[in-house]
Amino acid sequence: MRRERGAPRPGWEKIIESQGLAYHRAAHPEGLSRPYWDESVHYVFSMDEVDALEAQVEELHEMCLRAAGHVVETGRFAEFAIPEWAAEDVARSWERRDPHLYGRFDLRYDGTGPAKLLEYNADTPTSLLESSVVQWFWLKDTHPDDDQWNSVHERLIDRWSAMTLPPGPTHFSWTNMDETGEEAMTLAYLQETADQAGLHTVAIAMEDIGWDSLNRRFVDVEERMIRSVFKLYPWEWMLADPFGRHAVRHATWIEPLWKALLSNKALLAILWELYPGHPNLLPAYLDGPRDLTSYIAKPLLGREGASMRIVTPDGGQETPGSYGREGYVHQAFDALPDFDGQRPVLGAWMVADEPAGLGIRETSGLITDDTSSFVPHRIERP
Protein backbone atom coordinates (compact mmCIF):
# COMPACT_ATOMS: atom_id res chain seq x y z
CA MET A 1 0.00 0.00 0.00
CA ARG A 2 1.37 3.38 -0.99
CA ARG A 3 0.14 6.87 -1.79
CA GLU A 4 0.97 8.37 -5.16
CA ARG A 5 0.48 11.77 -6.77
CA GLY A 6 -0.80 12.40 -10.28
CA ALA A 7 -2.20 15.14 -12.45
CA PRO A 8 -5.99 15.54 -12.26
CA ARG A 9 -7.82 15.03 -15.52
CA PRO A 10 -8.56 18.23 -17.44
CA GLY A 11 -12.10 19.28 -16.60
CA TRP A 12 -12.40 16.73 -13.79
CA GLU A 13 -15.14 18.72 -12.06
CA LYS A 14 -17.49 18.43 -15.02
CA ILE A 15 -16.54 14.78 -15.50
CA ILE A 16 -17.52 13.72 -11.99
CA GLU A 17 -20.65 15.86 -12.04
CA SER A 18 -21.73 14.15 -15.26
CA GLN A 19 -21.33 10.85 -13.41
CA GLY A 20 -23.68 11.97 -10.64
CA LEU A 21 -21.31 13.42 -8.05
CA ALA A 22 -23.27 16.65 -7.95
CA TYR A 23 -22.77 17.55 -4.31
CA HIS A 24 -18.97 17.61 -4.24
CA ARG A 25 -18.81 21.43 -4.22
CA ALA A 26 -21.01 21.58 -1.12
CA ALA A 27 -19.55 18.55 0.64
CA HIS A 28 -16.97 20.45 2.70
CA PRO A 29 -17.42 23.19 5.28
CA GLU A 30 -16.45 26.61 3.95
CA GLY A 31 -12.83 27.67 4.05
CA LEU A 32 -11.19 24.40 2.99
CA SER A 33 -8.82 24.62 0.05
CA ARG A 34 -8.76 20.91 -0.73
CA PRO A 35 -11.66 19.55 -2.83
CA TYR A 36 -13.89 16.77 -1.56
CA TRP A 37 -13.04 14.59 -4.57
CA ASP A 38 -9.25 14.71 -4.86
CA GLU A 39 -7.75 12.80 -7.76
CA SER A 40 -4.39 14.54 -7.49
CA VAL A 41 -3.49 11.63 -5.20
CA HIS A 42 -4.49 7.98 -5.01
CA TYR A 43 -3.58 4.79 -3.17
CA VAL A 44 -1.98 1.77 -4.79
CA PHE A 45 -2.47 -1.81 -3.53
CA SER A 46 -1.15 -5.18 -4.53
CA MET A 47 -3.61 -7.94 -5.36
CA ASP A 48 -2.38 -9.92 -2.36
CA GLU A 49 -3.26 -7.02 -0.07
CA VAL A 50 -6.74 -6.73 -1.53
CA ASP A 51 -7.34 -10.47 -1.33
CA ALA A 52 -6.34 -10.42 2.34
CA LEU A 53 -8.55 -7.40 3.06
CA GLU A 54 -11.50 -9.03 1.33
CA ALA A 55 -11.14 -12.16 3.45
CA GLN A 56 -10.87 -10.12 6.65
CA VAL A 57 -13.95 -8.05 5.81
CA GLU A 58 -15.97 -11.16 5.07
CA GLU A 59 -14.98 -12.61 8.44
CA LEU A 60 -15.81 -9.35 10.22
CA HIS A 61 -19.27 -9.33 8.69
CA GLU A 62 -19.90 -12.91 9.81
CA MET A 63 -18.74 -11.98 13.31
CA CYS A 64 -21.11 -8.99 13.32
CA LEU A 65 -24.04 -11.20 12.35
CA ARG A 66 -23.20 -13.60 15.15
CA ALA A 67 -22.95 -10.65 17.55
CA ALA A 68 -26.40 -9.46 16.49
CA GLY A 69 -27.77 -12.92 17.15
CA HIS A 70 -26.13 -12.88 20.59
CA VAL A 71 -27.75 -9.53 21.46
CA VAL A 72 -31.16 -10.83 20.43
CA GLU A 73 -30.78 -14.13 22.25
CA THR A 74 -29.61 -12.47 25.48
CA GLY A 75 -31.89 -9.43 25.29
CA ARG A 76 -29.10 -6.86 25.58
CA PHE A 77 -31.04 -4.13 23.76
CA ALA A 78 -30.67 -1.52 26.51
CA GLU A 79 -26.89 -1.49 25.93
CA PHE A 80 -27.67 -0.31 22.40
CA ALA A 81 -30.04 2.43 23.60
CA ILE A 82 -32.91 0.60 21.88
CA PRO A 83 -36.20 1.80 23.43
CA GLU A 84 -37.77 -0.91 25.53
CA TRP A 85 -40.96 -0.82 23.48
CA ALA A 86 -39.02 -1.56 20.27
CA ALA A 87 -36.85 -4.43 21.54
CA GLU A 88 -39.26 -7.19 20.59
CA ASP A 89 -39.68 -5.73 17.12
CA VAL A 90 -35.90 -5.67 16.63
CA ALA A 91 -35.79 -9.31 17.67
CA ARG A 92 -38.57 -10.27 15.28
CA SER A 93 -36.86 -8.43 12.42
CA TRP A 94 -33.69 -10.41 13.10
CA GLU A 95 -35.52 -13.72 13.44
CA ARG A 96 -37.31 -13.13 10.12
CA ARG A 97 -34.00 -12.13 8.54
CA ASP A 98 -35.66 -9.12 6.95
CA PRO A 99 -33.79 -8.40 3.69
CA HIS A 100 -30.79 -6.09 3.81
CA LEU A 101 -28.87 -4.34 1.06
CA TYR A 102 -25.46 -2.94 1.96
CA GLY A 103 -23.05 -1.59 4.57
CA ARG A 104 -19.58 -0.10 4.96
CA PHE A 105 -16.81 -1.12 7.32
CA ASP A 106 -14.44 1.67 8.34
CA LEU A 107 -10.98 0.20 8.82
CA ARG A 108 -7.54 1.24 9.96
CA TYR A 109 -4.97 -0.25 7.61
CA ASP A 110 -1.38 0.65 6.74
CA GLY A 111 -0.38 -2.28 4.55
CA THR A 112 1.77 -3.99 7.17
CA GLY A 113 -0.68 -5.98 9.26
CA PRO A 114 -4.32 -6.95 9.71
CA ALA A 115 -6.96 -4.27 9.27
CA LYS A 116 -8.56 -2.97 12.46
CA LEU A 117 -12.29 -2.37 12.67
CA LEU A 118 -13.16 1.20 13.61
CA GLU A 119 -16.93 0.93 13.10
CA TYR A 120 -19.61 -0.60 10.88
CA ASN A 121 -21.88 1.81 9.01
CA ALA A 122 -24.59 -0.73 8.38
CA ASP A 123 -27.76 1.39 8.23
CA THR A 124 -27.23 4.60 6.21
CA PRO A 125 -23.70 4.60 4.75
CA THR A 126 -22.82 7.20 2.13
CA SER A 127 -19.79 7.87 -0.14
CA LEU A 128 -21.28 5.09 -2.26
CA LEU A 129 -21.40 6.70 -5.71
CA GLU A 130 -17.79 7.83 -5.30
CA SER A 131 -16.74 4.28 -4.50
CA SER A 132 -18.73 2.45 -7.15
CA VAL A 133 -18.93 4.68 -10.22
CA VAL A 134 -16.74 7.78 -10.03
CA GLN A 135 -13.47 6.15 -9.04
CA TRP A 136 -14.05 3.34 -11.57
CA PHE A 137 -14.17 5.80 -14.45
CA TRP A 138 -11.15 7.60 -12.99
CA LEU A 139 -9.29 4.27 -13.18
CA LYS A 140 -10.35 3.65 -16.78
CA ASP A 141 -9.26 7.16 -17.78
CA THR A 142 -5.93 7.24 -15.95
CA HIS A 143 -4.71 3.65 -15.41
CA PRO A 144 -6.66 1.51 -17.87
CA ASP A 145 -4.32 -1.46 -17.50
CA ASP A 146 -4.74 -1.66 -13.72
CA ASP A 147 -7.58 -3.04 -11.63
CA GLN A 148 -9.67 -1.86 -8.68
CA TRP A 149 -11.46 -3.51 -5.77
CA ASN A 150 -14.86 -2.54 -7.06
CA SER A 151 -17.85 -4.69 -7.97
CA VAL A 152 -20.27 -2.51 -6.00
CA HIS A 153 -22.50 -1.46 -8.90
CA GLU A 154 -23.03 -4.94 -10.32
CA ARG A 155 -23.59 -6.46 -6.89
CA LEU A 156 -26.21 -3.84 -5.99
CA ILE A 157 -28.19 -4.64 -9.11
CA ASP A 158 -27.90 -8.36 -8.44
CA ARG A 159 -28.99 -7.86 -4.84
CA TRP A 160 -32.12 -5.91 -5.81
CA SER A 161 -32.95 -8.68 -8.27
CA ALA A 162 -32.62 -11.33 -5.58
CA MET A 163 -34.76 -9.57 -2.96
CA THR A 164 -38.30 -10.73 -2.35
CA LEU A 165 -40.26 -7.53 -1.78
CA PRO A 166 -44.01 -6.88 -1.42
CA PRO A 167 -45.99 -6.06 -4.59
CA GLY A 168 -46.19 -2.49 -5.80
CA PRO A 169 -43.51 0.19 -6.14
CA THR A 170 -40.53 0.39 -3.83
CA HIS A 171 -40.25 3.90 -2.44
CA PHE A 172 -36.85 5.58 -2.04
CA SER A 173 -36.81 8.10 0.73
CA TRP A 174 -34.45 10.87 1.83
CA THR A 175 -34.91 13.65 4.37
CA ASN A 176 -35.37 17.35 3.69
CA MET A 177 -32.79 17.96 6.45
CA ASP A 178 -30.08 17.00 3.93
CA GLU A 179 -28.31 20.32 3.42
CA THR A 180 -25.44 19.28 1.14
CA GLY A 181 -27.35 17.05 -1.25
CA GLU A 182 -25.23 14.00 -0.38
CA GLU A 183 -28.16 11.88 0.71
CA ALA A 184 -30.31 12.85 -2.26
CA MET A 185 -27.42 11.95 -4.59
CA THR A 186 -26.83 8.61 -2.86
CA LEU A 187 -30.53 7.84 -2.90
CA ALA A 188 -30.85 8.67 -6.61
CA TYR A 189 -27.96 6.35 -7.38
CA LEU A 190 -29.43 3.47 -5.37
CA GLN A 191 -32.80 4.04 -6.99
CA GLU A 192 -31.10 3.79 -10.37
CA THR A 193 -29.56 0.43 -9.44
CA ALA A 194 -32.99 -0.81 -8.39
CA ASP A 195 -34.47 0.42 -11.68
CA GLN A 196 -31.77 -1.46 -13.56
CA ALA A 197 -32.76 -4.57 -11.62
CA GLY A 198 -36.31 -4.20 -12.92
CA LEU A 199 -38.00 -2.78 -9.82
CA HIS A 200 -40.72 -0.15 -10.05
CA THR A 201 -39.49 2.73 -7.89
CA VAL A 202 -40.82 6.03 -6.56
CA ALA A 203 -38.85 8.79 -4.82
CA ILE A 204 -40.33 10.49 -1.77
CA ALA A 205 -39.12 12.63 1.12
CA MET A 206 -39.50 11.07 4.57
CA GLU A 207 -41.44 14.16 5.57
CA ASP A 208 -44.01 13.40 2.85
CA ILE A 209 -44.76 9.86 4.01
CA GLY A 210 -48.21 9.83 5.54
CA TRP A 211 -49.92 7.49 7.99
CA ASP A 212 -53.45 6.34 7.14
CA SER A 213 -54.78 5.67 10.63
CA LEU A 214 -58.09 4.26 9.38
CA ASN A 215 -56.48 1.53 7.28
CA ARG A 216 -53.29 1.40 9.36
CA ARG A 217 -50.82 1.81 6.54
CA PHE A 218 -48.24 4.24 5.22
CA VAL A 219 -49.13 6.19 2.07
CA ASP A 220 -47.32 8.48 -0.34
CA VAL A 221 -48.42 11.88 -1.63
CA GLU A 222 -50.72 10.19 -4.17
CA GLU A 223 -52.33 8.13 -1.39
CA ARG A 224 -50.76 4.93 -2.69
CA MET A 225 -50.03 2.32 -0.06
CA ILE A 226 -46.35 2.09 0.79
CA ARG A 227 -45.33 -1.54 1.13
CA SER A 228 -41.54 -1.31 0.81
CA VAL A 229 -39.17 1.60 1.41
CA PHE A 230 -35.47 2.14 1.03
CA LYS A 231 -34.53 4.91 3.44
CA LEU A 232 -31.51 7.10 4.08
CA TYR A 233 -32.83 7.91 7.52
CA PRO A 234 -31.30 6.19 10.55
CA TRP A 235 -33.35 3.85 12.66
CA GLU A 236 -32.55 5.73 15.87
CA TRP A 237 -34.26 8.79 14.39
CA MET A 238 -37.22 6.71 13.25
CA LEU A 239 -37.66 5.18 16.69
CA ALA A 240 -37.70 8.66 18.20
CA ASP A 241 -40.26 9.97 15.70
CA PRO A 242 -44.00 9.91 16.42
CA PHE A 243 -44.55 7.41 13.58
CA GLY A 244 -41.78 5.13 14.88
CA ARG A 245 -44.17 2.76 16.62
CA HIS A 246 -45.97 2.23 13.33
CA ALA A 247 -42.77 1.92 11.30
CA VAL A 248 -41.48 -1.10 13.22
CA ARG A 249 -44.61 -3.07 12.36
CA HIS A 250 -45.75 -1.80 8.97
CA ALA A 251 -44.00 -1.85 5.58
CA THR A 252 -40.73 -3.49 4.59
CA TRP A 253 -37.90 -1.10 5.36
CA ILE A 254 -34.46 -1.29 3.81
CA GLU A 255 -32.27 -1.26 5.74
CA PRO A 256 -34.29 -3.50 8.12
CA LEU A 257 -34.80 -2.84 11.80
CA TRP A 258 -32.22 -5.44 12.88
CA LYS A 259 -29.53 -3.32 11.23
CA ALA A 260 -29.98 -0.91 14.16
CA LEU A 261 -27.76 -3.34 16.08
CA LEU A 262 -24.94 -3.38 13.54
CA SER A 263 -24.90 0.38 12.97
CA ASN A 264 -24.58 1.08 16.71
CA LYS A 265 -21.06 1.45 18.13
CA ALA A 266 -22.03 -0.69 21.11
CA LEU A 267 -21.40 -3.48 18.61
CA LEU A 268 -17.65 -2.85 19.01
CA ALA A 269 -17.78 -3.82 22.69
CA ILE A 270 -19.91 -6.89 22.02
CA LEU A 271 -17.47 -8.04 19.35
CA TRP A 272 -14.49 -7.66 21.70
CA GLU A 273 -16.39 -9.56 24.38
CA LEU A 274 -17.20 -12.42 22.01
CA TYR A 275 -13.85 -12.42 20.17
CA PRO A 276 -11.24 -11.10 22.62
CA GLY A 277 -7.84 -10.62 21.05
CA HIS A 278 -9.10 -11.04 17.49
CA PRO A 279 -6.51 -9.53 15.11
CA ASN A 280 -9.09 -7.37 13.31
CA LEU A 281 -10.55 -5.87 16.49
CA LEU A 282 -9.48 -3.18 18.94
CA PRO A 283 -10.34 -3.57 22.65
CA ALA A 284 -13.65 -1.83 23.36
CA TYR A 285 -15.84 -1.49 26.45
CA LEU A 286 -19.19 0.05 27.32
CA ASP A 287 -18.62 0.59 31.05
CA GLY A 288 -15.54 2.82 30.72
CA PRO A 289 -11.98 2.58 29.39
CA ARG A 290 -10.98 -0.03 32.01
CA ASP A 291 -7.23 -0.59 31.66
CA LEU A 292 -6.84 1.34 28.39
CA THR A 293 -4.32 4.16 28.71
CA SER A 294 -5.01 5.44 25.19
CA TYR A 295 -8.60 5.30 23.98
CA ILE A 296 -11.26 7.09 22.02
CA ALA A 297 -14.75 7.60 23.45
CA LYS A 298 -17.34 7.32 20.67
CA PRO A 299 -21.04 8.10 21.09
CA LEU A 300 -23.08 5.01 20.31
CA LEU A 301 -25.12 6.85 17.70
CA GLY A 302 -22.63 9.52 16.59
CA ARG A 303 -22.04 10.60 12.99
CA GLU A 304 -19.33 12.35 10.96
CA GLY A 305 -16.77 12.11 13.77
CA ALA A 306 -18.79 14.40 16.05
CA SER A 307 -18.74 14.30 19.87
CA MET A 308 -15.65 12.10 20.08
CA ARG A 309 -12.89 12.30 22.69
CA ILE A 310 -9.36 10.97 22.35
CA VAL A 311 -7.43 10.35 25.56
CA THR A 312 -3.72 9.47 25.59
CA PRO A 313 -0.91 9.83 28.16
CA ASP A 314 0.37 12.76 26.07
CA GLY A 315 -2.92 14.64 26.02
CA GLY A 316 -6.30 14.54 24.39
CA GLN A 317 -8.53 15.88 21.67
CA GLU A 318 -12.27 16.42 21.35
CA THR A 319 -14.62 17.11 18.47
CA PRO A 320 -17.75 19.24 18.84
CA GLY A 321 -21.20 17.78 18.54
CA SER A 322 -24.46 17.03 20.29
CA TYR A 323 -24.28 13.22 20.40
CA GLY A 324 -23.59 11.13 23.48
CA ARG A 325 -26.74 11.22 25.57
CA GLU A 326 -27.27 7.62 24.51
CA GLY A 327 -23.89 6.59 25.95
CA TYR A 328 -20.38 5.90 24.71
CA VAL A 329 -18.15 3.03 23.76
CA HIS A 330 -14.49 3.26 24.80
CA GLN A 331 -12.25 1.81 22.10
CA ALA A 332 -8.48 1.46 22.20
CA PHE A 333 -6.92 4.32 20.28
CA ASP A 334 -4.66 3.32 17.41
CA ALA A 335 -3.85 6.43 15.38
CA LEU A 336 -4.59 6.26 11.68
CA PRO A 337 -1.44 5.72 9.62
CA ASP A 338 0.37 8.78 8.25
CA PHE A 339 0.91 8.92 4.48
CA ASP A 340 2.53 12.23 3.48
CA GLY A 341 0.75 14.04 6.30
CA GLN A 342 -2.65 12.53 5.49
CA ARG A 343 -4.44 9.76 7.38
CA PRO A 344 -6.64 7.39 5.35
CA VAL A 345 -9.66 5.42 6.50
CA LEU A 346 -10.55 2.47 4.32
CA GLY A 347 -14.26 2.04 3.68
CA ALA A 348 -14.86 -1.59 2.70
CA TRP A 349 -18.29 -2.16 1.18
CA MET A 350 -20.57 -5.11 1.76
CA VAL A 351 -23.49 -5.84 -0.55
CA ALA A 352 -25.79 -8.33 1.13
CA ASP A 353 -23.25 -10.68 2.75
CA GLU A 354 -20.44 -10.33 0.21
CA PRO A 355 -17.45 -7.93 0.16
CA ALA A 356 -17.90 -5.63 -2.83
CA GLY A 357 -15.32 -2.85 -2.97
CA LEU A 358 -13.27 -0.12 -1.38
CA GLY A 359 -13.51 3.65 -0.91
CA ILE A 360 -10.89 5.77 0.85
CA ARG A 361 -11.33 9.02 2.73
CA GLU A 362 -8.38 10.87 4.21
CA THR A 363 -7.73 13.89 6.37
CA SER A 364 -4.79 15.43 8.19
CA GLY A 365 -6.49 14.95 11.56
CA LEU A 366 -6.77 11.98 13.87
CA ILE A 367 -10.55 11.80 13.45
CA THR A 368 -12.19 11.42 10.04
CA ASP A 369 -14.98 13.99 9.85
CA ASP A 370 -16.79 16.14 7.27
CA THR A 371 -13.51 17.81 6.30
CA SER A 372 -12.14 14.58 4.81
CA SER A 373 -11.55 14.09 1.09
CA PHE A 374 -12.36 11.05 -1.00
CA VAL A 375 -9.41 9.71 -2.99
CA PRO A 376 -9.44 6.86 -5.54
CA HIS A 377 -7.37 3.69 -5.52
CA ARG A 378 -6.02 1.12 -7.94
CA ILE A 379 -4.57 -2.39 -7.83
CA GLU A 380 -1.22 -2.51 -9.52
CA ARG A 381 -0.82 -5.34 -11.96
CA PRO A 382 2.48 -7.26 -11.56
Side-chain angles (χ1 to χ4, degrees):
M1 176 183 179
R2 67 181 189 273
R3 186 176 188 264
E4 287 193 357
R5 296 187 177 275
R9 293 165 294 176
W12 64 268
E13 297 99 329
K14 290 184 178 179
I15 293 173
I16 67 172
E17 288 168 8
S18 72
Q19 294 161 355
L21 192 56
Y23 94 111
H24 73 101
R25 298 180 190 271
H28 273 181
E30 293 183 4
L32 295 180
S33 58
R34 188 182 186 191
Y36 168 69
W37 168 269
D38 188 356
E39 61 181 63
S40 69
V41 295
H42 66 274
Y43 283 85
V44 184
F45 297 84
S46 70
M47 185 57 76
D48 286 344
E49 286 177 315
V50 170
D51 287 343
L53 283 168
E54 188 171 12
Q56 292 170 53
V57 167
E58 187 170 17
E59 182 178 3
L60 280 170
H61 179 70
E62 292 172 355
M63 290 161 56
C64 289
L65 294 179
R66 289 193 289 270
H70 168 80
V71 172
V72 170
E73 291 165 9
T74 56
R76 298 175 66 175
F77 301 105
E79 296 172 69
F80 286 70
I82 301 291
E84 186 176 351
W85 63 265
E88 185 176 347
D89 296 289
V90 175
R92 287 177 177 173
S93 175
W94 168 255
E95 290 160 358
R96 289 192 304 263
R97 296 300 194 272
D98 290 345
H100 64 293
L101 180 67
Y102 76 139
R104 190 192 76 222
F105 284 104
D106 283 352
L107 306 171
R108 183 204 183 279
Y109 181 71
D110 60 11
T112 62
K116 299 291 186 180
L117 175 63
L118 301 176
E119 60 182 80
Y120 194 6
N121 298 282
D123 186 14
T124 58
T126 53
S127 76
L128 180 64
L129 180 69
E130 302 92 303
S131 300
S132 62
V133 174
V134 181
Q135 72 166 343
W136 176 255
F137 284 109
W138 165 86
L139 178 77
K140 296 294 102 180
D141 287 343
T142 61
H143 299 84
D145 295 328
D146 282 350
D147 205 348
Q148 193 174 81
W149 183 12
N150 189 356
S151 60
V152 176
H153 186 78
E154 297 81 5
R155 287 182 182 273
L156 285 170
I157 295 171
D158 290 345
R159 179 56 177 163
W160 286 120
S161 298
M163 278 190 187
T164 301
L165 297 174
T170 297
H171 289 70
F172 281 71
S173 188
W174 76 98
T175 171
N176 289 327
M177 293 185 291
D178 175 22
E179 296 179 352
T180 66
E182 179 182 20
E183 293 183 7
M185 179 197 73
T186 304
L187 188 96
Y189 170 62
L190 282 165
Q191 185 176 354
E192 181 183 341
T193 63
D195 289 338
Q196 291 184 32
L199 273 66
H200 176 204
T201 66
V202 176
I204 187 172
M206 289 292 290
E207 291 81 0
D208 290 335
I209 294 178
W211 173 249
D212 179 352
S213 58
L214 180 62
N215 295 302
R216 298 191 61 76
R217 62 184 186 177
F218 288 107
V219 294
D220 62 18
V221 291
E222 297 181 11
E223 298 295 324
R224 288 176 297 195
M225 180 179 179
I226 295 176
R227 292 184 172 90
S228 61
V229 193
F230 175 87
K231 61 174 187 59
L232 273 180
Y233 194 81
W235 268 110
E236 63 264 23
W237 294 2
M238 292 179 69
L239 296 180
D241 282 345
F243 72 80
R245 291 177 182 263
H246 302 310
V248 298
R249 298 182 179 92
H250 298 272
T252 296
W253 297 90
I254 307 164
E255 296 295 317
L257 182 54
W258 63 263
K259 277 288 193 83
L261 300 176
L262 300 194
S263 62
N264 187 307
K265 294 180 187 63
L267 174 71
L268 301 170
I270 301 298
L271 286 170
W272 186 252
E273 177 185 321
L274 296 178
Y275 304 98
H278 191 281
N280 296 123
L281 300 177
L282 293 166
Y285 309 103
L286 288 171
D287 57 359
R290 297 194 187 178
D291 58 350
L292 299 175
T293 56
S294 294
Y295 64 91
I296 180 168
K298 299 179 176 181
L300 301 185
L301 303 173
R303 295 177 177 275
E304 295 286 355
S307 305
M308 292 192 178
R309 185 176 73 258
I310 295 173
V311 176
T312 72
D314 299 324
Q317 178 181 329
E318 294 188 34
T319 57
S322 57
Y323 299 102
R325 290 187 297 273
E326 70 281 3
Y328 287 81
V329 66
H330 302 81
Q331 185 184 47
F333 177 65
D334 190 357
L336 295 172
D338 187 322
F339 287 81
D340 303 323
Q342 295 293 321
R343 299 178 181 273
V345 165
L346 272 57
W349 291 97
M350 298 291 301
V351 175
D353 299 312
E354 300 290 336
L358 177 68
I360 302 175
R361 292 167 297 147
E362 63 174 19
T363 182
S364 59
L366 294 172
I367 296 175
T368 306
D369 56 18
D370 60 358
T371 68
S372 64
S373 291
F374 189 100
V375 299
H377 79 277
R378 63 186 174 95
I379 302 171
E380 193 171 43
R381 291 193 184 275

